[in-house]
Amino acid sequence: SRLGVQLDVAQGDWSGVLQVVSEQGLDGSYRPQLEWANVKYQLTPDLALRLGRIALPVFLGADARKVGYTIPWVRTPVEVYGALPISSSDGVDATWRWNIGEVRQATQVFVGRANKDLQNGLRIKAEDITGLSHTIERGALSARLSAASARLDTGIGAELFGALRAFGPAGNALADRYAIVDKRVTMVSAGLNYDPGNWFVSAEWGRTRTDSLLGNGNEVYVGAGLRVVVVAPYAGYAQVRSDVPTSDPGLPLAGLPPP
């Protein structure tokens, strides 16, 4: 379940948006979160700048992934969208809109940072967020290509990694490998959607690299649906495939005392 409210204001070349969302967090609470809070200045009819909290434009549904009635799914496919642990950042972006014949183009660059409360004081921080997104639209067809990078820092697994470090160099090597401390996270994604009205089909692919406990892998989904009067039955398939080992030999125990 999710409850949200959004306020949009506009005055001449200036506009702003504020969006607050309440949904269940990792700690089970429904504490409201500020999802969007930014101002936009339209420099020219084709170029706009935004400052504040902005949704990361790395998926087809990124701009409205929290606004359920704008997407056909009950929820965006978690296999793909869940690969990115943050959905918005505090920073700036610039969007340039241009056309090639009947094909509408939008190129967006963004920089920022994020600091999100997960549960019981546990936070996830992302610094040096940078990215590029390009959207193409023609009639019922739309596509988005994007790439993003950030330095991630969180205390997830801190007790485990602290225990590992008590085992000396071998434990330190394991902790350094898997701890999510100052780790560079990169993601590239591509999505395609065709929606002529009575039916729709979409597919997205993502490639994530974290060099940490979060792993590296490829994520994909495909789906299609049919609109009949006021209902839209749909079907989809999604998969996450890791391309790193899913187990580790662990600590060499030879020569260690039983405790």
Side-chain angles (χ1 to χ4, degrees):
S1 299
R2 179 185 297 132
L3 177 67
V5 61
Q6 179 171 315
L7 173 68
D8 296 272
V9 295
Q11 179 64 47
D13 293 329
W14 291 89
S15 61
V17 60
L18 178 70
Q19 185 187 96
V20 179
V21 175
S22 173
E23 59 184 342
Q24 190 176 39
L26 292 179
D27 59 357
S29 73
Y30 284 82
R31 184 170 57 256
Q33 299 284 340
L34 191 63
E35 189 69 18
W36 285 26
N38 61 73
V39 293
K40 180 172 76 171
Y41 180 64
Q42 197 73 37
L43 259 67
T44 72
D46 301 319
L47 179 62
L49 299 177
R50 290 191 298 179
L51 172 66
R53 182 159 296 180
I54 301 162
L56 291 175
V58 292
F59 298 114
L60 278 175
D63 297 334
R65 61 187 292 184
K66 300 291 187 180
V67 189
Y69 63 83
T70 64
I71 57 177
W73 325 112
V74 172
R75 63 185 62 82
T76 50
V78 295
E79 290 83 358
V80 175
Y81 285 69
L84 194 64
I86 53 175
S87 58
S88 60
S89 70
D90 300 330
V92 297
D93 76 346
T95 303
W96 177 41
R97 300 187 182 278
W98 49 289
N99 298 331
I100 299 179
E102 297 181 354
V103 181
R104 299 185 300 277
Q105 317 267 346
T107 303
Q108 186 175 2
V109 294
F110 54 93
V111 296
R113 62 188 301 273
N115 189 342
K116 184 177 181 181
D117 184 18
L118 296 179
Q119 61 175 351
N120 301 326
L122 185 62
R123 307 189 70 83
I124 183 167
K125 299 179 182 178
E127 302 285 349
D128 300 336
I129 299 174
T130 57
L132 172 68
S133 177
H134 184 70
T135 303
I136 303 170
E137 295 180 344
R138 180 175 181 179
L141 180 67
S142 61
R144 171 172 270 176
L145 306 173
S146 61
S149 175
R151 285 190 301 109
L152 208 60
D153 200 328
T154 179
I156 292 175
E159 292 183 359
L160 169 63
F161 301 129
L164 286 174
R165 293 189 186 280
F167 286 85
N172 284 328
L174 277 174
D176 291 341
R177 177 179 176 184
Y178 291 108
I180 312 170
V181 178
D182 197 28
K183 291 293 179 70
R184 175 62 61 177
V185 177
T186 59
M187 182 175 207
V188 294
S189 66
L192 187 69
N193 182 67
Y194 187 74
D195 189 346
N198 293 330
W199 57 277
F200 58 88
V201 60
S202 64
E204 285 191 85
W205 164 86
R207 163 71 175 154
T208 308
R209 184 175 181 86
T210 71
D211 294 325
S212 74
L213 181 69
L214 297 177
N216 308 330
N218 295 278
E219 309 86 31
V220 65
Y221 82 82
V222 293
L226 183 68
R227 294 189 177 92
V228 183
V229 191
V230 295
V231 297
Y234 65 82
Y237 174 79
Q239 183 185 73
V240 179
R241 176 166 292 178
S242 173
D243 59 6
V244 294
T246 55
S247 63
D248 194 282
L251 293 167
L253 302 180
L256 293 176

